[in-house]
Amino acid sequence: MIVSEPRRPTASTVKTVRTHCPYCAFQCGLLVTPDGDGTLSIAGDADFPVNAGALCLKGYTAGETLGHPDRLTTPLARNAAGNLVPVSWDEAIARIAAGFRLLQRKYGRDAIGVFGGGSLTNEKVYLLGKFARAVLRTPHIDYNGRFCMSSAAAAGLRAFGLDRGLPFPVSDIAMADAILLVGANVSETMPPIMQYFEEQRRAGGQLIVVDPRRTATAEHATMHLRLIPGTDAVLAHGLLHVLIHERLIDEAYIRERTEGFEAVRAHAASYWPERVERLTGVPQRDIISTARTLGLASNAIVLTARGAEQQSQGVANVLSFINLALAMGRVGRPYNGYGCLTGQGNGQGGREHGQKSDQLPGYRRLDDAQAREEIARLWGMSPEDLPGPGRSAYELLDTLGRDGGVRGLLVMGSNPVVSAPNATHIEERLASLDFLAVCDFFVSETARLADVVLPSAQWAEEDGTMTNLEGRVLRRRQVVPPPEGVRTDLEIIQGLAEALGSPRGFPASACAAFAELRQATAGAPADYSGITTGRIDRERGVFWPCGPGASHGTPRLFADRFPTPNGRARFHRIHAFGSAERPDEEYPFFLTTGRVLAQYQSGTQTRRVRRLSTAAGGAQAEMHPQAAKRAGLANGTEITIETRRGRASFRLKTTAAIREDTIFVPFHWPDEQSANRLTNDALDPISRMPEFKVCAARITAAAGGRDNR
Ligand code: SF4
């Protein structure tokens, strides 16, 4: 059988280790102590300045997945009867190498793809990108962060010349007099961050939350703007209109530090409050009040998250809110500015070091000749042999198994059967592959389709570095060794590279991999070259950029200039088109998706944690009581939600906290409860981010009840 006990620490090895939570981008500091019986005691690290000892339930229970009975402890491969059965590591690696070689001989190098994840350590991200480009020599590597972070990243690059989620320490939140929080439910997604919002409120600060739902975070706010899904950019234009009209913009800052404002000023003129109320559903008095609160505040911060970003106009939405922050002259001043609240554990580092289809390590562009030259030299290859940009995550998945598409795929740290939009279609594409290899801790929904599954080590079983939502580079430390039979992802990459003819250049040690990553990022936008593990320990994390001669990292960006060719930030004139799909007669509701407190992403880990499953054991659809009444549905009914892509079943929870025209479903569950069987795969034209947050849906009672069409 594929299960074994984790290797137990002996009394002499038991000690408390300082490390970080395996889940979200807040990367709470943990104090982890092996109990000697295979379990871990976990407490918050009060000395780590970001969470200051606070944790959410996911952090406290993170040890449960290590010794879970479902844990994979031997590689699996599909036998002649079509079943996944245990095989040796040698056989598993050899089968992957042979499968990939065969497909590349038959269809060319581009026939192999790699799909990574935003929870992988920086070292894994770096070596996975190198493996794809230097060993497989394929352009097709992308990752699930494309589903999470790419719109904010693309907007940051366009406006500021650099993308770092928060360009200031998270503690600045507590010092802001006014905060506009757009599309974020941080009370549930990263609860320990609330200590900063609470401090801000205690000091008399104003918090304005923009969300179609009155979430736990909105409950905490001084004002809640319950906008129609997909109208974020319109709302931002309306706020800018009022700021301009009431002379609450900073003309000197605009003149000296930015470019492109006049076109934006002219465009905003047509977004007067009455019109914006009609388009967004937000009362004009609230629009005016919000603009005044922001414009008159001594310190003001604008924050966005997935609500505004996961749309087919996600980049435009973010740029519209960046316009606001720039017009008020906030960006680059302490306790002010624009920031994005990154989601996944290494959502920041995961997009910096080369697993994105268009980027090389350090946030260099793959189409930059100098970057290609430098990285190719470091990797011992010719720049001409370095592949160019490949397909973005959804486009890569969408072409799997097709003519001209990827025929063999390696998945590491991702579960796209649950996390990709239009999930039934993506499951079919994955099933159509000639060869699929998956590295995971458990047989995830994606691993179920694999030809070979490799069991990998978990967070507390390996070393590495992570970069949190502030751009602070942290150390993840090994607490216990992996169970017998399990390998780290670095060991897996090394083994695959060796089997494919590259015996050198893929260290299994995180320390050696980080040393090479530092070299690869020297002089790049995300420069890690001056960051050492000693400095991380001493400084409680180091903010990038941090070059070799730097005496410290860079907690605050953009103080004097922006990293654009002329040093100025750029305004962008945005046409607000709204979502790709809107309710109609057939599908009369907006459907939006998100997370709940006790689960994380595709749930591969958290659905297996007993206390989390008790707190949130299945998917509930939230709907307004009036809308439910009109549809003849009672609270607690099993319902089916349908969209043009598929159907899924949920238990109905009626709540007045949601708009009457909107249904909310969480996306942590698979199969019949899979929210992503419903979501729209319309992509943002710039970031290629799918539109998870808005589509049109209808509801029926699951057991033959009246439907609402
Ligand atoms: S899930 Fe996020 S907020 Fe919760 S303990 Fe982990 S890092 Fe902290």
Side-chain angles (χ1 to χ4, degrees):
M1 189 51 205
I2 55 179
V3 174
S4 76
E5 288 291 303
R7 199 182 293 162
R8 290 171 190 225
T10 62
S12 63
T13 62
V14 171
K15 60 177 195 240
T16 297
V17 177
R18 241 185 191 112
T19 186
H20 294 275
C21 175
Y23 300 120
C24 85
F26 209 55
Q27 283 297 289
C28 292
L30 307 182
L31 297 173
V32 186
T33 312
D35 288 336
D37 62 356
T39 61
L40 302 178
S41 288
I42 296 178
D45 181 354
D47 288 338
F48 183 61
V50 179
N51 61 310
L55 297 179
C56 76
L57 187 59
K58 296 190 286 288
Y60 282 115
T61 56
E64 269 195 43
T65 54
L66 269 66
H68 195 279
D70 291 352
R71 183 82 192 265
L72 268 173
T73 54
T74 183
L76 305 176
R78 211 162 282 284
N79 64 12
N83 300 317
L84 282 172
V85 295
V87 295
S88 71
W89 272 97
D90 284 349
E91 183 179 343
I93 295 282
R95 277 176 70 162
I96 297 172
F100 284 0
R101 264 203 219 98
L102 182 73
L103 290 169
Q104 286 194 316
R105 267 201 301 275
K106 197 165 166 191
Y107 298 106
R109 291 188 186 281
D110 296 6
I112 303 301
V114 175
F115 200 86
S119 294
L120 300 175
T121 63
N122 292 323
E123 293 77 6
K124 296 177 188 181
V125 168
Y126 171 74
L127 287 179
L128 196 62
K130 182 178 178 183
F131 171 73
R133 297 187 174 110
V135 177
L136 296 172
R137 303 260 290 275
T138 177
H140 297 310
I141 171 165
D142 214 58
Y143 78 122
N144 63 19
R146 181 76 67 174
F147 299 159
C148 180
M149 286 312 310
S150 53
S151 287
L157 283 170
R158 276 172 165 67
F160 308 134
L162 188 71
D163 154 47
R164 198 183 83 187
L166 292 180
F168 44 75
V170 70
S171 54
D172 276 19
I173 287 171
M175 305 297 287
D177 300 298
I179 298 174
L180 182 68
L181 181 62
V182 187
N185 182 16
V186 286
S187 273
E188 293 204 59
T189 55
M190 49 178 69
I193 199 176
M194 288 308 290
Q195 62 191 290
Y196 298 106
F197 288 98
E198 281 158 12
E199 198 179 329
Q200 186 249 358
R201 290 294 314 279
R202 277 197 301 275
Q206 305 285 305
L207 172 64
I208 301 148
V209 169
V210 179
D211 200 306
R213 294 193 298 149
R214 189 167 182 86
T215 59
T217 312
E219 286 288 345
H220 179 83
T222 39
M223 192 181 294
H224 172 213
L225 309 185
R226 189 146 56 170
L227 85 174
I228 296 169
T231 61
D232 306 66
V234 176
L235 178 64
H237 293 358
L239 294 171
L240 184 58
H241 175 99
V242 178
L243 287 171
I244 293 169
H245 184 69
E246 303 206 357
R247 298 182 190 285
L248 293 173
I249 58 172
D250 187 337
E251 298 277 5
Y253 178 97
I254 292 169
R255 200 169 46 247
E256 287 157 23
R257 300 213 50 194
T258 71
E259 62 184 10
F261 182 63
E262 287 315 315
V264 171
R265 188 201 299 263
H267 189 60
S270 60
Y271 286 87
W272 55 92
E274 298 90 325
R275 179 179 177 222
V276 174
E277 175 175 333
R278 267 200 318 279
L279 295 171
T280 64
V282 177
Q284 52 175 307
R285 67 171 182 281
D286 291 349
I287 296 167
I288 294 167
S289 168
T290 297
R292 286 179 184 159
T293 300
L294 291 170
L296 292 170
S298 300
N299 302 315
I301 289 176
V302 177
L303 298 169
T304 66
R306 306 304 85 68
E309 296 160 16
Q310 289 179 321
Q311 297 186 29
S312 59
Q313 228 198 341
V315 177
N317 288 342
V318 177
L319 285 171
S320 302
F321 285 104
I322 288 176
N323 283 347
L324 273 187
L326 288 173
M328 292 187 290
R330 305 293 185 177
V331 183
R333 287 172 46 198
Y335 320 126
N336 283 276
Y338 162 80
C340 149
L341 296 169
T342 302
Q344 290 193 79
N346 200 26
Q348 183 67 52
R351 64 190 195 257
E352 296 167 359
H353 298 303
Q355 65 174 338
K356 234 175 148 179
S357 63
D358 51 355
Q359 284 178 359
L360 288 170
Y363 239 137
R364 298 170 200 253
R365 290 177 60 94
L366 199 44
D367 56 6
D368 174 336
Q370 188 185 339
R372 292 177 65 84
E373 173 81 38
E374 287 173 10
I375 293 297
R377 196 179 330 120
L378 180 67
W379 290 352
M381 62 194 292
S382 152
E384 292 74 48
D385 291 337
L386 201 54
R391 296 187 186 106
S392 73
Y394 186 80
E395 291 161 303
L396 193 161
L397 295 172
D398 186 35
T399 55
L400 294 179
R402 298 183 195 275
D403 285 348
V406 159
R407 315 297 293 237
L409 186 71
L410 173 68
V411 177
M412 183 173 278
S414 192
N415 185 13
V417 166
V418 181
S419 63
N422 197 2
T424 306
H425 169 67
I426 292 307
E427 187 168 351
E428 285 165 10
R429 298 303 347 133
L430 283 157
S432 77
L433 282 165
D434 295 63
F435 193 89
L436 174 63
V438 175
C439 311
D440 212 320
F441 326 129
F442 302 108
V443 182
S444 69
E445 289 71 21
T446 303
R448 281 188 212 154
L449 305 173
D451 296 282
V452 176
V453 185
L454 301 179
S456 39
Q458 293 195 42
W459 62 282
E461 298 164 350
E462 58 184 6
D463 291 316
T465 62
M466 306 282 280
T467 306
N468 80 348
L469 77 172
E470 308 165 284
R472 187 193 301 248
V473 183
L474 310 166
R475 283 185 75 185
R476 175 175 284 180
R477 291 180 181 80
Q478 187 187 55
V479 183
V480 291
E484 202 72 50
V486 166
R487 292 187 183 174
T488 67
D489 288 330
L490 293 184
E491 289 171 331
I492 290 171
I493 296 170
Q494 182 186 54
L496 289 172
E498 194 174 337
L500 287 159
S502 297
R504 280 181 294 281
F506 291 88
S509 129
C511 188
F514 188 61
E516 190 178 314
L517 179 155
R518 289 174 56 208
Q519 219 181 327
T521 63
D527 191 338
Y528 281 43
S529 61
I531 302 176
T532 61
T533 49
R535 285 187 67 165
I536 295 174
D537 293 349
R538 281 194 302 280
E539 299 171 30
R540 292 283 188 231
V542 180
F543 291 82
W544 69 260
C546 181
S551 57
H552 49 72
T554 316
R556 288 198 173 80
L557 296 168
F558 317 139
D560 305 315
R561 74 186 306 278
F562 293 93
T564 54
N566 64 6
R568 290 169 177 269
R570 304 175 188 117
F571 280 95
H572 287 78
R573 185 172 188 263
I574 299 298
H575 289 282
F577 297 117
S579 53
E581 201 174 75
R582 290 180 60 84
D584 52 25
E585 275 191 11
E586 248 189 303
Y587 296 90
F589 289 98
F590 284 107
L591 180 78
T592 189
T593 65
R595 289 166 49 188
V596 297
L597 175 66
Q599 296 291 340
Y600 179 72
Q601 304 300 69
S602 75
T604 307
Q605 296 160 88
T606 50
R607 280 187 274 117
R608 290 181 163 87
V609 175
R610 193 178 31 84
R611 284 171 67 192
L612 299 180
S613 291
T614 305
Q620 287 190 327
E622 293 182 12
M623 187 179 186
H624 195 279
Q626 293 303 327
K629 194 173 164 193
R630 280 195 295 276
L633 301 170
N635 189 40
T637 316
E638 287 293 330
I639 60 167
T640 298
I641 299 180
E642 296 177 4
T643 68
R644 291 187 170 85
R645 291 149 296 280
R647 48 173 33 214
S649 299
F650 305 87
R651 183 168 294 273
L652 179 65
K653 177 185 170 189
T654 55
T655 168
I658 194 162
R659 292 178 57 87
E660 284 194 37
D661 57 5
T662 304
I663 303 162
F664 167 83
V665 287
F667 63 84
H668 310 291
W669 285 272
D671 306 324
E672 287 70 36
Q673 293 192 317
S674 167
N676 278 323
R677 289 186 176 178
L678 308 171
T679 49
N680 195 351
D681 53 9
L683 302 182
D684 181 285
I686 298 165
S687 67
R688 318 309 285 164
M689 161 82 87
E691 190 151 64
F692 291 99
K693 288 297 182 204
V694 196
C695 67
R698 65 188 175 202
I699 294 192
T700 56
R706 212 173 84 202
D707 81 23
N708 72 328
R709 279 169 279 185

Tab-separated table of all heavy atoms in Angstrom, residues 21 23-24 26-28 55-56 58-59 190-192, ligand 1:
chain	number	residue	atom	x	y	z
A	21	CYS	N	4.329	29.281	7.593
A	21	CYS	CA	3.120	28.524	7.254
A	21	CYS	C	3.162	28.074	5.788
A	21	CYS	O	3.647	28.787	4.928
A	21	CYS	CB	1.911	29.422	7.509
A	21	CYS	SG	0.352	28.685	7.012
A	23	TYR	N	0.701	27.838	3.771
A	23	TYR	CA	-0.432	28.284	2.952
A	23	TYR	C	-0.233	29.684	2.388
A	23	TYR	O	0.577	29.855	1.510
A	23	TYR	CB	-1.736	28.131	3.740
A	23	TYR	CG	-2.016	26.690	4.172
A	23	TYR	CD1	-2.135	26.355	5.509
A	23	TYR	CD2	-2.123	25.679	3.229
A	23	TYR	CE1	-2.379	25.044	5.906
A	23	TYR	CE2	-2.365	24.366	3.619
A	23	TYR	CZ	-2.494	24.054	4.955
A	23	TYR	OH	-2.739	22.763	5.350
A	24	CYS	N	-0.940	30.683	2.889
A	24	CYS	CA	-1.106	31.910	2.093
A	24	CYS	C	0.110	32.833	2.110
A	24	CYS	O	1.086	32.610	2.803
A	24	CYS	CB	-2.372	32.641	2.540
A	24	CYS	SG	-2.144	33.723	3.949
A	26	PHE	N	0.665	35.593	3.375
A	26	PHE	CA	1.043	36.313	4.577
A	26	PHE	C	2.263	35.649	5.220
A	26	PHE	O	3.016	36.285	5.921
A	26	PHE	CB	-0.133	36.380	5.548
A	26	PHE	CG	-0.106	37.592	6.432
A	26	PHE	CD1	-0.025	38.856	5.883
A	26	PHE	CD2	-0.157	37.479	7.809
A	26	PHE	CE1	0.015	39.987	6.692
A	26	PHE	CE2	-0.124	38.598	8.627
A	26	PHE	CZ	-0.043	39.852	8.067
A	27	GLN	N	2.424	34.358	4.940
A	27	GLN	CA	3.591	33.606	5.392
A	27	GLN	C	3.878	33.840	6.878
A	27	GLN	O	4.992	34.268	7.267
A	27	GLN	CB	4.811	33.938	4.533
A	27	GLN	CG	4.785	33.247	3.177
A	27	GLN	CD	4.817	31.723	3.322
A	27	GLN	OE1	5.838	31.145	3.700
A	27	GLN	NE2	3.686	31.082	3.052
A	28	CYS	N	2.893	33.554	7.692
A	28	CYS	CA	3.045	33.732	9.135
A	28	CYS	C	4.254	32.957	9.664
A	28	CYS	O	4.503	31.815	9.256
A	28	CYS	CB	1.792	33.235	9.850
A	28	CYS	SG	0.350	34.253	9.543
A	55	LEU	N	-1.966	33.526	14.229
A	55	LEU	CA	-2.146	32.532	13.167
A	55	LEU	C	-3.631	32.336	12.933
A	55	LEU	O	-4.436	32.624	13.807
A	55	LEU	CB	-1.565	31.161	13.576
A	55	LEU	CG	-0.079	31.032	13.850
A	55	LEU	CD1	0.213	29.584	14.257
A	55	LEU	CD2	0.730	31.414	12.632
A	56	CYS	N	-3.976	31.801	11.775
A	56	CYS	CA	-5.358	31.352	11.604
A	56	CYS	C	-5.403	29.843	11.799
A	56	CYS	O	-4.361	29.182	11.946
A	56	CYS	CB	-5.911	31.773	10.243
A	56	CYS	SG	-5.340	30.794	8.841
A	58	LYS	N	-5.798	27.481	9.821
A	58	LYS	CA	-5.029	26.693	8.838
A	58	LYS	C	-3.579	26.553	9.297
A	58	LYS	O	-2.971	25.503	9.158
A	58	LYS	CB	-5.095	27.362	7.459
A	58	LYS	CG	-6.488	27.410	6.863
A	58	LYS	CD	-6.485	27.861	5.424
A	58	LYS	CE	-6.229	29.331	5.271
A	58	LYS	NZ	-7.323	30.215	5.684
A	59	GLY	N	-3.004	27.637	9.823
A	59	GLY	CA	-1.620	27.578	10.292
A	59	GLY	C	-1.466	26.632	11.468
A	59	GLY	O	-0.552	25.796	11.506
A	190	MET	N	-6.700	35.788	5.054
A	190	MET	CA	-5.472	35.878	5.855
A	190	MET	C	-5.767	36.646	7.151
A	190	MET	O	-5.335	37.790	7.336
A	190	MET	CB	-4.311	36.491	5.063
A	190	MET	CG	-4.575	37.769	4.327
A	190	MET	SD	-3.084	38.436	3.474
A	190	MET	CE	-2.791	37.270	2.156
A	191	PRO	N	-6.486	35.991	8.088
A	191	PRO	CA	-6.976	36.690	9.283
A	191	PRO	C	-5.920	37.472	10.071
A	191	PRO	O	-6.226	38.567	10.560
A	191	PRO	CB	-7.588	35.565	10.121
A	191	PRO	CG	-7.975	34.518	9.117
A	191	PRO	CD	-6.939	34.583	8.041
A	192	PRO	N	-4.680	36.980	10.212
A	192	PRO	CA	-3.741	37.760	11.035
A	192	PRO	C	-3.444	39.161	10.498
A	192	PRO	O	-2.988	40.023	11.250
A	192	PRO	CB	-2.473	36.896	11.042
A	192	PRO	CG	-2.972	35.514	10.815
A	192	PRO	CD	-4.107	35.674	9.846
B	1	SF4	S1	-2.953	30.508	6.106
B	1	SF4	FE1	-2.038	32.530	5.896
B	1	SF4	S2	-2.927	33.700	7.549
B	1	SF4	FE2	-3.313	31.562	8.041
B	1	SF4	S3	-1.602	30.991	9.362
B	1	SF4	FE3	-1.048	30.488	7.250
B	1	SF4	S4	0.085	32.249	6.470
B	1	SF4	FE4	-1.014	32.886	8.329
